[in-house]
Amino acid sequence: MKYPLIKYIKFLSLSGLLWLFVCCNTSQGQSETDLWKEQAENITIIRDDFGIPHIYGKTDADAVFGLLYAQCEDDFNRVEQNYIRAIGRLAEVEGKGALYSDLRANMFMSKEEAIANYDSSPDWLKKLCDAFADGINYYLHTHPEVKPRLLTRFEPWMPMYFSEGSIGGDIEGISTDKIRAFYEDGMTFSKTEEAKIKKRKEELEPQGSNGIAISGTLTQSGNAMLLINPHTSFYFRGEVHVVSEEGLNAYGAVTWGQFFVYQGFNEKTGWMHTSTYTDVMDEYVEVIEEKDKKLFYAYGDELRPVIQTEIVLKYKNGDGSKEKMFPVYRTHHGPITHKENESPVASAMMWEPIKALEQSYTRTKQKDYKGFLKMMDIRTNSSNNTVYADADGNIAYFHGNFVPVRDTIFDFSRPVDGSNPKTDWKGLHAVNENILVLNPKNGWIQNCNSTPFTAALENSPKRENYPKYMSIDRENFRGIHAIELLKDRSGYTIDSLISLAYDSYLPAFAALIPGLVSAYDESETRLPELAGAIDILRNWDYKTSEESVAMTLAHFYGTSYGRKGKRPAPMSDMELMSYFGSYSPAEERLYIFKEVVAQLESDFGNWSIPWGEVNRYQRLNGDIRQAFDDNKPSIPIGFSSGRWGALAAYGARYNNNTMKIYGTRGNSFVAVVEFGPKVSAKTILAGGQSGNPKSPHFDDQTMPYARVKFKEAAYYKEDVLKRARNSYKPGMK
């Protein structure tokens, strides 16, 4: 089988047609609503003292029904938004500017193809997809006051678009700007504009996550432990516990609208995903010619027909809507998404929605390493690495999962010749051929979106044993920080692992700031107006806190230098800060720092301002993009950006024209799990479980989040009942 072939479907299957046109499911004369009510009787939702839903169902399908119902109670806005985007209908609510996001989604799978995938799914998966749709639709039926922006009815084929759980998944790596340039004007996207966009992206708060697994040889209890520390946009995932009488008992973070726990644990195993640098997507430059008014592309000695279709998309236009038709082209490599040097380029990526859903769901039910390894052999977890621990004491790290086999004579980091059959993917690497760490002698594993070749220090995989496309060998400050904390340390408890995960030292500034101080000391002019600020930095221990003035100075200096400093070549954040700290011109360092001090004085009346007065947490409403306001209540946060090496990342991607910094991403859901005869865990969630400002759980975790006061996770039924604040069945008022 070739990847990522997508069977092109022109006609709906009979079952798909019936399903599309029958709005009411009937069984022995029962209406759809009666069936929902009947299934709801098999489900109990218990809300604990933090509003976390513990969903109990007789079957897995019952549990999924209850899980989606509970998610909608907490934040229907985000559930709907994720599917509007995933199925390619964003422009219908956001206008013409979202058309190319929608086109990208529809290029890889049409609604008809999604239905066909649902139809060909195994029965057990169909039942879960049905329960997904039924749970949301029953919520809408019982909450007529909720007015969806677009999706008034959810369908069981929709999860086929949203099967993995990571933020956006692989498809987000395909540039909508390039698609726009090609499909609007038939042009190559400007290299200058591409460089500008790349630079803007580099300036954004970094994405990423931390996963750390600790062997029982290093813990006080002798049990393995796992740190689950995704860095996402805030409120991107809710905290849930979902249980069935068919063996499901998973606790953790669920991406709004999905029916599986994405990062979490059950009684025997735990899993944490970090974004991978494995090469899982490729671009193929196609040689296309026209014959008899038909398009063909070269492939070896033959000409193959280009598959041509039309995609019609709607978009919001004032109070009404309009339509736009796009002619879309495809080769066996994938859809044509853009041009490279005036040649059309097809984008290849993993697109196996049935298998991806199977892997995402069955992951949550594994009981040991053997089962987990078998699940990983499905090989559709394409955008992530996985850090693992279990009750048998195993710890492991899987770098990537979906890794196509390629001919290493080609450089797949760049577009390759699609007419040469040798550039085709040749199946997938087996799991044991991928980069893997299992029970290293040092007793710990870490991945902070950094190189896998330092995941277990001297016991890490060796770079020379793997093809280059399996990983770039690039370190970052978070990885360096984690390694220094983990080396030669033992006696871990849940609380001490939490402390490690929130260590306040920032290695980026240890690389950057001494160079600024030395530039000042060696300057002939000395600039007396900078003396006080330089002295504060001179005596700093490079640790962040709410009270630290040095942190304020360093943050704005590092941020400004990253934007304005002259760099000799493209560099990673770590390389760039090291260069600015040791090799950049001294006069440039002082000039930028002088600008920073002047800007702080202009914005705040004083450069000597504690970090907590600048760095804030504010949640005013349930909007996906928060409306920050310097004149409204907020609280101080002592955490810092992952760019500087903070494991407990806290940063902003937008500011809504405020002077203060309001966090938008970083530590969101965090858990520390200890396995053993019984599993135990502590968790924290940014803000709270609910997106409704009227709910007590909208902000009840805000102060614990800021003060690193984790809550106990109620996993066992007796603990859930002790902390129960509300118990009900879906549909009950």
Side-chain angles (χ1 to χ4, degrees), residues 38-325:
E38 184 177 289
Q39 187 166 16
E41 289 300 312
N42 298 330
I43 303 157
T44 299
I45 301 172
I46 301 175
R47 296 276 182 175
D48 67 21
D49 45 341
F50 284 93
I52 309 303
H54 303 260
I55 299 103
Y56 295 86
K58 287 187 177 181
T59 66
D60 283 6
D62 293 336
V64 166
F65 183 110
L67 174 61
L68 270 299
Y69 185 95
Q71 286 186 51
C72 291
E73 288 183 301
D74 288 332
D75 209 327
F76 176 78
N77 183 26
R78 282 181 166 78
V79 171
E80 184 189 21
Q81 177 72 4
N82 282 344
Y83 280 94
I84 291 173
R85 178 183 293 276
I87 67 176
R89 296 183 63 184
L90 191 62
E92 293 180 49
V93 294
E94 293 191 0
K96 194 173 183 179
L99 270 175
Y100 292 94
S101 172
D102 291 349
L103 179 59
R104 179 176 62 185
N106 282 274
M107 279 179 168
F108 283 92
M109 190 163 64
S110 67
K111 176 180 175 180
E112 292 77 18
E113 289 169 322
I115 293 170
N117 274 287
Y118 164 78
D119 284 343
S120 59
S121 295
D123 286 344
W124 69 266
L125 183 56
K126 277 187 183 178
K127 290 178 181 177
L128 300 187
C129 291
D130 292 342
F132 149 86
D134 290 343
I136 301 176
N137 291 330
Y138 189 45
Y139 169 80
L140 291 174
H141 173 74
T142 54
H143 292 76
E145 73 281 3
V146 174
K147 304 300 181 185
R149 298 170 70 201
L150 180 68
L151 303 178
T152 57
R153 182 179 176 86
F154 284 70
E155 307 291 2
W157 48 264
M158 288 180 175
M160 296 295 158
Y161 282 94
F162 197 30
S163 56
E164 193 187 348
S166 57
I167 304 176
D170 298 331
I171 199 168
E172 292 290 328
I174 295 175
S175 168
T176 54
D177 292 303
K178 290 184 177 181
I179 294 174
R180 179 186 291 108
F182 179 68
Y183 280 95
E184 277 195 357
D185 304 314
M187 296 172 57
T188 299
F189 190 63
S190 162
K191 293 294 183 183
T192 302
E193 192 62 29
E194 187 174 354
K196 289 179 181 178
I197 290 173
K198 183 180 178 182
K199 189 173 189 300
R200 286 197 294 270
K201 286 182 177 179
E202 289 172 348
E203 292 172 359
L204 293 173
E205 174 64 19
Q207 295 183 180
S209 302
N210 307 324
I212 295 176
I214 307 291
S215 165
T217 60
L218 300 180
T219 65
Q220 286 189 17
S221 65
N223 300 321
M225 298 175 64
L226 180 66
L227 169 68
I228 298 171
N229 186 194
H231 296 162
T232 69
S233 52
F234 292 159
Y235 331 120
F236 182 78
R237 296 191 177 107
E239 183 173 345
V240 302
H241 180 204
V242 57
V243 186
S244 82
E245 295 175 15
E246 295 182 333
L248 177 67
N249 194 349
Y251 192 112
V254 60
T255 307
W256 295 110
Q258 293 190 310
F259 59 74
F260 50 85
V261 171
Y262 181 62
Q263 290 161 319
F265 60 94
N266 59 40
E267 190 172 29
K268 299 297 184 182
T269 65
W271 56 96
M272 166 62 203
H273 301 305
T274 64
S275 298
T276 188
Y277 290 131
T278 302
D279 184 358
V280 298
M281 300 169 64
D282 285 322
E283 295 181 341
Y284 289 87
V285 179
E286 306 288 19
V287 179
I288 294 179
E289 61 180 82
E290 185 175 356
K291 294 179 67 175
D292 300 325
K293 297 184 178 181
K294 294 182 180 180
L295 296 178
F296 297 84
Y297 68 101
Y299 184 69
D301 296 329
E302 61 179 307
L303 285 177
R304 293 185 172 185
V306 174
I307 297 172
Q308 302 178 63
T309 59
E310 292 182 353
I311 293 176
V312 178
L313 299 176
K314 293 180 180 180
Y315 63 94
K316 183 179 178 181
N317 185 57
D319 294 331
S321 67
K322 287 187 175 182
E323 291 185 347
K324 186 174 177 66
M325 187 277 288

Side-chain angles (χ1 to χ4, degrees), residues 370-537:
K370 181 179 179 181
F372 201 88
L373 188 65
K374 182 179 179 182
M375 173 276 302
M376 290 294 283
D377 197 48
I378 298 174
R379 290 175 287 176
T380 55
N381 188 22
S382 57
S383 62
N384 295 304
N385 311 312
T386 302
V387 183
Y388 169 89
D390 68 30
D392 295 325
N394 296 301
I395 61 172
Y397 172 65
F398 301 85
H399 189 80
N401 184 241
F402 171 91
V403 187
V405 178
R406 293 129 162 149
D407 190 327
T408 56
I409 67 171
F410 301 102
D411 179 7
F412 284 90
S413 68
R414 304 175 61 83
V416 295
D417 181 5
S419 68
N420 186 345
K422 290 183 179 180
T423 63
D424 269 8
W425 293 351
K426 298 164 178 63
L428 298 178
H429 283 283
V431 173
N432 60 6
E433 294 175 341
N434 293 341
I435 300 171
L436 173 64
V437 181
L438 176 63
N439 296 327
K441 291 181 181 179
N442 56 298
W444 54 262
I445 294 169
Q446 65 81 29
N447 183 259
C448 301
N449 310 115
S450 49
T451 172
F453 307 118
T454 58
L457 213 56
E458 68 275 8
N459 300 294
S460 304
K462 306 305 178 190
R463 182 73 185 87
E464 59 271 18
N465 293 338
Y466 301 93
K468 288 183 179 180
Y469 56 72
M470 279 196 176
S471 182
I472 56 175
D473 189 8
R474 187 172 71 195
E475 192 59 270
N476 62 36
F477 283 119
R478 282 186 292 118
I480 292 292
H481 191 186
I483 290 168
E484 289 303 311
L485 292 171
L486 289 162
K487 282 193 308 186
D488 304 319
R489 188 167 178 167
S490 62
Y492 287 97
T493 63
I494 285 180
D495 288 337
S496 69
L497 186 51
I498 290 172
S499 295
L500 180 149
Y502 282 79
D503 185 82
S504 60
Y505 182 72
L506 301 174
F509 292 130
L512 178 66
I513 296 303
L516 171 63
V517 173
S518 65
Y520 178 82
D521 289 344
E522 295 166 12
S523 172
E524 294 180 1
T525 56
R526 280 300 175 101
L527 300 173
E529 67 271 26
L530 301 183
I534 289 290
D535 282 343
I536 285 175
L537 291 174

